[in-house]
Amino acid sequence: DVTVDYAFQDINDIPGTLPEGRTKPWGTGQAVLAAKDVIKTPFIVINADDYNGKEGFKVVHEYLVNGGKSCMAGFVLKNTLSDFGTVNRGVCKTDAQGLLTSVEETKAIGRAADGVISGTFAGEKRILSENDTVSMSMWGFGADFMPRLERRLSEFLEKLPSGEPKAELTIADAVDAEIHGSGFRVMNLATDSRWFGITYEADADNARETLRNCVSAGVYNSPLWG
């Protein structure tokens, strides 16, 4: 049996008062914090609208159950692009031990007609390599990550520009700040899994076909539950 607890993101669940006119939730950082009262053990975070493959779950699970503290399933950029538009990804750098040294939320990543991949970080266009490591928000943490995340949300809100209605704190932002500000250690666990999701309506047919192929190959049963 699997015990399921539900925690819901509430835009008002922040230190201080909700800024006037704010209607958008505060991002994936606050979303994870919504579960702080029910998480007492190491845990995995994923985006619910992404398919990450079984390998990512396996490597993160094994790392945590064998005593690892914090980790990320590191995907290869070329395996995470959409054929129908640009995507946002956390572009990562690691050291010789495989520990993350930075995670930079990069927007509008896409491949041009000439094959060049580029994206925008902090308003600046950057050329990327198809073999760059990126975060797909598949993380493994210990329960002690929650106080770190709570501190980063408080700091984010204190520095929030006046009149900024859509600023968010992502998990990647919080991790990057902890790496640089508190010596936080996060292991990159490389995976060759191919991501797919439905970022654009046109992605839906590809997603259906990929899932059918997974069933045909025996990766999943059909029906999945029963």
Side-chain angles (χ1 to χ4, degrees), residues 192-226:
D192 288 326
S193 290
R194 182 172 295 276
W195 164 92
F196 69 88
I198 304 178
T199 304
Y200 300 95
E201 184 177 352
D203 287 321
D205 286 341
N206 282 352
R208 293 188 188 98
E209 180 64 23
T210 303
L211 286 172
R212 281 194 290 266
N213 291 339
C214 287
V215 171
S216 298
V219 176
Y220 295 119
N221 295 327
S222 181
L224 188 58
W225 293 281

Side-chain angles (χ1 to χ4, degrees), residues 86-88 106-110 118-120:
T86 61
V87 295
N88 299 340
T106 306
K107 301 182 182 300
I109 299 174
S118 65
T120 302

Side-chain angles (χ1 to χ4, degrees), residues 58-78:
K58 181 179 179 181
V59 296
V60 173
H61 172 264
E62 289 181 351
Y63 186 78
L64 294 177
V65 299
N66 286 304
K69 299 300 183 183
S70 297
C71 62
M72 179 198 78
F75 287 72
V76 182
L77 176 57
K78 65 183 178 182

Side-chain angles (χ1 to χ4, degrees), residues 89-109:
R89 301 286 182 253
V91 178
C92 305
K93 291 184 174 59
T94 60
D95 64 16
Q97 287 74 47
L99 292 168
L100 291 181
T101 57
S102 68
V103 186
E104 298 179 336
E105 275 292 320
T106 306
K107 301 182 182 300
I109 299 174

